[in-house]
Amino acid sequence: KQEVTQIPAALSVPEGENLVLNCSFTDSAIYNLQWFRQDPGKGLTSLLLIQSSQREQTSGRLNASLDKSSGRSTLYIAASQPGDSATYLCAFSGSARQLTFGSGTQLTVLP
Amino acid sequence: SAVISQKPSRDICQRGTSLTIQCQVDSQVTMMFWYRQQPGQSLTLIATANQGSEATYESGFVIDKFPISRPNLTFSTLTVSNMSPEDSSIYLCSFLAGGGETQYFGPGTRLLVL
């Protein structure tokens, strides 16, 4: 059974700092990986999708990488802003497209 | 991208009652999913709901407790039956549009059972 771990559980950084969120998984037989953000009282917003055949995806200040051999994915956020404050979740999809979520990293960007 | 909505957005219910949550997408989608997020926890898949077939439930979830309907390609319902305080959670639906791999989520239904 796939297990997904996110480190750190919480992170507080000053505005403008670059940061990396980590996600590790136990089963390399993944179909794809998604990173989401969840704002308090709201649903999930999809940030990036990486197919299993890909190594990274970029969108604006966000870059996500996938290394199946080591069972790791990272989300890099450049020049962080207070509006980036949220909980970030990674999730892996099997062939049936069900998502297995990590426990999340709660990010606070201080002005 | 398609817009997805859920009703109700939140509810407070009494123990032993049932609540039906509606999920509506503004375009036809192939696969829909229902997830639960218990307080302080991450999301856990309840079931996969595909139009024209019975829902497929994950381990630990049963149809009698969480009956699901998927009458067409734009709509699904999840019922939380015979509720107890342990059912207090956020319930979210999600979907995969045809040919796409990105999963989109509804805003969630926040349920409190007293």
Side-chain angles (χ1 to χ4, degrees), chain B:
Chain B
S1 60
V3 176
I4 181 169
S5 61
Q6 285 185 234
K7 290 183 180 179
S9 59
R10 61 180 65 241
D11 208 341
I12 301 174
C13 300
Q14 295 298 318
R15 179 195 301 260
T17 62
S18 298
L19 177 72
T20 296
I21 302 168
Q22 300 178 5
C23 181
Q24 178 77 54
V25 187
D26 69 350
S27 61
Q28 294 184 340
V29 299
T30 51
M31 301 181 75
M32 294 185 75
F33 306 88
W34 286 97
Y35 291 84
R36 179 177 73 180
Q37 187 174 29
Q38 294 178 299
Q41 305 293 316
S42 193
L43 282 78
T44 301
L45 179 67
I46 297 172
T48 302
N50 295 324
Q51 196 267 339
S53 63
E54 296 290 325
T56 303
Y57 289 82
E58 297 300 301
S59 176
F61 298 96
V62 295
I63 187 171
D64 290 345
K65 176 67 175 177
F66 298 101
I68 288 171
S69 75
R70 180 81 197 274
N72 56 52
L73 291 175
T74 65
F75 187 77
S76 178
T77 67
L78 169 75
T79 298
V80 186
S81 303
N82 188 25
M83 289 184 286
S84 67
E86 292 71 33
D87 294 320
S88 298
S89 298
I90 301 174
Y91 292 86
L92 302 101
C93 63
S94 68
F95 70 92
L96 281 174
E101 295 295 337
T102 298
Q103 199 159 135
Y104 298 96
F105 281 79
T109 295
R110 285 151 185 78
L111 171 62
L112 176 63
V113 183
L114 302 177

Side-chain angles (χ1 to χ4, degrees), chain A residues 10-56:
Chain A
L11 180 64
S12 182
V13 300
E15 181 177 4
E17 192 163 297
N18 302 325
L19 58 100
V20 175
L21 307 181
N22 296 292
C23 178
S24 62
F25 52 97
T26 55
D27 186 352
S28 62
I30 65 170
Y31 197 77
N32 61 49
L33 160 78
Q34 272 187 266
W35 280 92
F36 296 88
R37 67 175 282 169
Q38 184 173 30
D39 294 276
K42 297 185 179 181
L44 275 67
T45 301
S46 179
L47 299 173
L48 290 165
L49 170 75
I50 308 178
Q51 304 273 20
S52 62
S53 59
Q54 300 172 325
R55 291 191 62 84
E56 67 177 331

